[in-house]
């Protein structure tokens, strides 16, 4: 496997980080890509979670459940869960 990056700025940044950290250029590129991948995965998870919450809120509204009356749907007149 090989990768041929022909961007001088990428090489400059990789070399700078390698010099600063004492790691190889390959290692700093690997770490940068790993961190970027994790960040993108986290953003995807957050977006999916936000969408799920929006869907839930929409469903609750469609069913007539609001913050003001939610307890009525969760608990009976004695305060016990349904």
């Amino acid at each position: 496997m090989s990768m041929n990056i022909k961007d001088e700025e990428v090489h400059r940044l990789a070399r700078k980080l390698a010099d600063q950290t004492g790691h190889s250029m390959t290692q700093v590129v690997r770490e940068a890509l790993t961190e970027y991948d994790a960040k993108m995965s986290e953003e995807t998870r957050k977006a999916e979670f936000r969408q799920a919450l929006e869907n839930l809120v929409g469903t609750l509204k469609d069913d007539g459940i609001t913050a003001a009356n939610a307890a009525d749907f969760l608990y009976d007149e004695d305060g016990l869960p349904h």
Side-chain angles (χ1 to χ4, degrees):
M1 263 181 279
S2 73
M3 202 168 156
N4 187 8
I5 299 174
K6 296 181 180 183
D7 184 311
E8 290 182 26
E9 180 66 7
V10 171
H11 279 270
R12 183 189 72 73
L13 289 168
R15 186 171 292 111
K16 176 183 172 186
L17 289 171
D19 290 345
Q20 288 175 348
T21 62
H23 294 116
S24 68
M25 288 175 58
T26 299
Q27 181 64 29
V28 297
V29 170
R30 180 186 302 118
E31 288 179 17
L33 291 172
T34 299
E35 287 180 25
Y36 186 72
D37 180 50
K39 177 184 173 189
M40 296 305 294
S41 295
E42 181 179 341
E43 288 176 9
T44 299
R45 285 191 307 274
K46 285 180 181 178
E48 290 172 351
F49 182 71
R50 278 191 296 273
Q51 185 62 51
L53 285 177
E54 289 174 15
N55 293 344
L56 176 60
V57 168
T59 299
L60 293 173
K61 284 182 181 178
D62 291 346
D63 290 343
I65 300 172
T66 66
N69 69 4
D72 296 338
F73 292 91
L74 298 174
Y75 304 102
D76 66 16
E77 60 279 351
D78 296 321
L80 298 173
H82 282 279

